[in-house]
Amino acid sequence: MAFLKKGILQILIFSIFLSGSTPNAFSPMALAAETHKKATISTALESLLQSEPDLKGSLAGISIRDQESGNILYEHMSDLRLTPASNMKLLTSAVALKVLGEDYQFITEIYGDGRVVNGHLKGNLYIKGNGDTSLLATDLEKMAKELKQKGIRYIDGNIIGDDSWYDDTPYSVDLAWSDESTYYGAPISALTLSPNKEYDAGTVLLEIKPGKNIGEPVVINSIPRTSEIKIKNMVKTGDKESGTSLKVERKHNSKVVTVTGRLPITTSLKKEWVSVDNPTKYTLDVFQQALKKEGIQWNGAVQKGKTPQIASLITTHASIPLSELLIPFMKLSNNTIAETLIKEMGVVKKGKGSFEKGLAVLKEELIAFQLDPNKMLIRDGSGISPIDYISANDLSLFLYEVQAEPWFATFSQALPVSGMEERLVGGTLRNRLNGENTKGKVIAKTGTLTSVSTLSGYMESTNGKKYIFSILLNHLVDEEKGKEIEDRIIETLAEY
């Protein structure tokens, strides 16, 4: 049977060759060219990998495909399941586009459960979150103004924050406690707030300036101002020769943020982000400030709760569409947006905003991209778990398959671009691959964890040839060395 199949294939190749057709995937000329190309790339990359001392004792999963045909041009440990770090966001963003759609928006709603009489709302006021990670303090101020315009001057009841759109599990399963105070480890809530348009939801931005004199404490301002953090300033102003050494910490279940270190007196401004312990209470606190700014008062408590069915909708705020949200999400590798999208897909497809339901949706949808989720281990949507596992071949195949989707342009435009210095263009690649052969020619997702560095995406060589690649480096002693190796691999490809 094998001999018969081989004979049929030979006849098919010979007949196509005799027909005088333009060389294609079946012609001897094309096959010979493909074989030569593979040999050339393989020789160059194998030589590079063998000469890298920082890869000794490490694992390197590499898969390189022709972007047009999807054919594998080079592979090294390509079927070995490895930790992808933030390359996991490639899957999350694509499936979110498929399930939710490019125009999907997250709606924040305000309800009242009583009538408005002579400027008094005779009942409670509810602010209900539905997963908007792009909600800003200015949006809350706008909603407070709309309440005033609708004649509400006094709330004869409580102000209630409703975050019931998602479950009450704030962290993905493998997030370390030591990461809880960081911007990339902020808790997930359906009612949350971002300090600026990078949309690190559930965090406060600290602006730190040196004091007037050497030895004096620095000046720390928070954006937005909130009672949900209490800053313990232990940073001193150093002389102009002293280095910058800032450390921001918040202990588990605490509002106290301790800032230590030193800041040179010549520093203009340093920015640091710290997560809050409870995003819902944080949003409620800033919302109270917005109400007070409009002169709206109340006589009840400010607390968490659930909006009753009898409540009437007063006003709403719509987020930016998903297509726009993907820019800070992918360019800046925003973990909070990733995990929120997971929960949102759980609500939309399974009726429950939980990590479990959302990840089930993610795995089910991967089948449409020719992937087998049973051959992977997916623990979150951001890639912060050290035991997410996927192969380089699966990632490169996924990147090939998504090209056929109607939203591919939105997906690809959200990826970081090599050497482009603007933060929301170059993203995490803005200071990498900025040489003549690679600047602006690589769009790819970076990934970094302790001992892990990854890079997967699309690139164009100097002669216009386009490649899909996935590079997963694990068990590194120094992940920064891993980035250098990734860049050398891409630079080598650019020459072929």
Side-chain angles (χ1 to χ4, degrees):
M1 180 62 71
F3 176 81
L4 180 60
K5 288 181 179 178
K6 182 178 180 182
I8 292 171
L9 179 59
Q10 288 173 336
I11 291 170
L12 176 60
I13 292 172
F14 186 64
S15 64
I16 294 172
F17 177 68
L18 288 179
S19 70
S21 302
T22 302
N24 54 41
F26 293 105
S27 75
M29 290 184 350
L31 290 172
E34 190 78 2
T35 300
H36 175 70
K37 188 195 319 180
K38 283 183 179 180
T40 305
I41 292 174
S42 296
T43 301
L45 292 180
E46 284 297 331
S47 176
L48 186 155
L49 294 179
Q50 290 174 15
S51 67
E52 288 291 350
D54 293 304
L55 281 181
K56 289 185 178 180
S58 301
L59 298 174
I62 304 172
S63 177
I64 297 168
R65 296 178 187 265
D66 180 286
Q67 186 174 340
E68 185 177 348
S69 68
N71 293 336
I72 293 177
L73 303 178
Y74 175 78
E75 54 186 334
H76 179 90
M77 293 186 182
S78 58
D79 290 320
L80 183 67
R81 285 185 289 271
L82 294 170
T83 298
S86 283
N87 279 202
M88 182 60 70
K89 294 182 176 75
L90 291 165
L91 307 183
T92 302
S93 60
V95 173
L97 284 168
K98 186 173 185 294
V99 171
L100 304 176
E102 297 173 85
D103 299 327
Y104 193 83
Q105 293 177 287
F106 300 81
I107 310 299
T108 302
E109 303 163 310
I110 293 184
Y111 290 86
D113 63 5
R115 294 184 304 149
V116 178
V117 180
N118 296 326
H120 284 226
L121 172 63
K122 300 291 186 177
N124 300 318
L125 185 77
Y126 301 84
I127 178 167
K128 186 177 189 301
N130 292 285
D132 183 6
T133 53
S134 69
L135 190 69
L136 302 171
T138 52
D139 299 321
L140 296 177
E141 290 173 0
K142 182 181 177 182
M143 286 191 281
K145 284 182 180 179
E146 290 171 353
L147 290 175
K148 185 175 180 180
Q149 289 168 0
K150 290 179 182 292
I152 297 175
R153 300 288 188 276
Y154 191 88
I155 300 162
D156 195 9
N158 302 320
I159 297 173
I160 296 173
D162 183 353
D163 60 9
S164 62
W165 186 243
Y166 299 153
D167 69 1
D168 58 2
T169 301
Y171 301 109
S172 56
V173 63
D174 297 317
L175 183 80
W177 276 24
S178 58
D179 288 334
E180 284 185 17
S181 66
T182 65
Y183 69 93
Y184 57 83
I188 308 303
S189 171
L191 182 58
T192 192
L193 190 68
S194 288
N196 62 12
K197 290 188 176 182
E198 291 188 5
Y199 303 131
D200 291 299
T203 72
V204 174
L205 170 59
L206 303 181
E207 291 189 337
I208 307 173
K209 296 181 180 180
K212 291 182 178 180
N213 300 301
I214 295 171
E216 291 182 355
V218 299
V219 178
I220 303 178
N221 292 318
S222 69
I223 300 175
R225 292 187 178 277
T226 175
S227 62
E228 284 302 301
I229 65 165
K230 301 185 183 302
I231 300 172
K232 187 177 181 181
N233 182 2
M234 300 179 67
V235 185
K236 298 295 183 182
T237 303
D239 61 43
K240 63 180 181 179
E241 304 297 332
S242 64
T244 300
S245 59
L246 295 176
K247 189 174 183 181
V248 181
E249 291 183 299
R250 180 183 58 77
K251 292 184 179 180
H252 180 65
N253 284 342
S254 173
K255 293 183 181 182
V256 178
V257 174
T258 303
V259 189
T260 57
R262 185 170 295 273
L263 192 66
I265 195 166
T266 52
T267 305
S268 57
L269 179 71
K270 286 291 290 183
K271 294 181 179 181
E272 296 285 341
W273 281 258
V274 62
S275 72
V276 297
D277 179 59
N278 191 314
T280 303
K281 290 183 178 180
Y282 168 40
T283 308
L284 273 173
D285 179 57
V286 178
F287 183 51
Q288 288 178 71
Q289 297 175 42
L291 293 174
K292 289 176 181 177
K293 187 176 180 181
E294 294 302 319
I296 299 174
Q297 299 179 325
W298 59 95
N299 64 5
V302 179
Q303 60 194 40
K304 289 175 62 173
K306 192 169 181 179
T307 307
Q309 291 185 348
I310 62 168
S312 300
L313 184 64
I314 300 174
T315 189
T316 65
H317 169 76
S319 74
I320 58 175
L322 180 59
S323 58
E324 292 181 28
L325 188 63
L326 284 187
I327 299 296
F329 170 33
M330 298 295 278
K331 299 280 189 186
L332 306 180
S333 204
N334 189 306
N335 287 358
T336 313
I337 295 175
E339 305 304 0
T340 300
L341 289 174
I342 290 295
K343 288 200 173 190
E344 189 68 12
M345 290 189 285
V347 174
V348 170
K349 296 285 284 188
K350 303 281 187 181
K352 184 177 182 181
S354 67
F355 288 115
E356 179 186 5
K357 296 298 183 183
L359 290 175
V361 173
L362 179 69
K363 293 172 187 177
E364 290 169 6
E365 295 294 336
L366 290 179
I367 297 171
F369 302 109
Q370 310 306 314
L371 300 185
D372 182 356
N374 295 317
K375 293 182 179 179
M376 308 170 187
L377 187 57
I378 299 176
R379 305 273 288 182
D380 57 32
S382 66
I384 200 170
S385 171
I387 51 174
D388 283 323
Y389 290 128
I390 188 172
S391 73
N393 259 351
D394 276 345
L395 271 175
S396 67
L397 175 60
F398 172 79
L399 290 171
Y400 172 73
E401 292 290 333
V402 297
Q403 294 178 108
E405 297 294 332
W407 38 258
F408 176 69
T410 296
F411 172 81
S412 60
Q413 287 168 11
L415 295 174
V417 183
S418 58
M420 296 291 104
E421 294 180 1
E422 188 177 337
R423 187 168 170 79
L424 288 176
V425 177
T428 52
L429 279 180
R430 62 189 178 278
N431 298 319
R432 292 176 60 181
L433 294 165
N434 51 12
E436 182 181 352
N437 291 343
T438 54
K439 185 174 182 178
K441 295 183 178 181
V442 181
I443 58 169
K445 185 70 198 73
T446 58
T448 307
L449 289 173
T450 302
S451 82
V452 174
S453 183
T454 61
L455 186 68
S456 299
Y458 308 89
M459 67 166 292
E460 182 178 343
S461 69
T462 53
N463 68 354
K465 184 65 182 177
K466 295 181 178 180
Y467 301 107
I468 295 170
F469 62 89
S470 180
I471 307 167
L472 308 179
L473 306 181
N474 282 201
H475 297 186
L476 297 165
V477 174
D478 182 354
E479 55 271 13
E480 292 304 312
K481 294 288 186 181
K483 296 184 190 339
E484 295 174 9
I485 294 169
E486 291 160 4
D487 290 356
R488 283 195 282 273
I489 291 172
I490 298 302
E491 288 162 358
T492 301
L493 263 182
E495 298 176 3
Y496 289 90

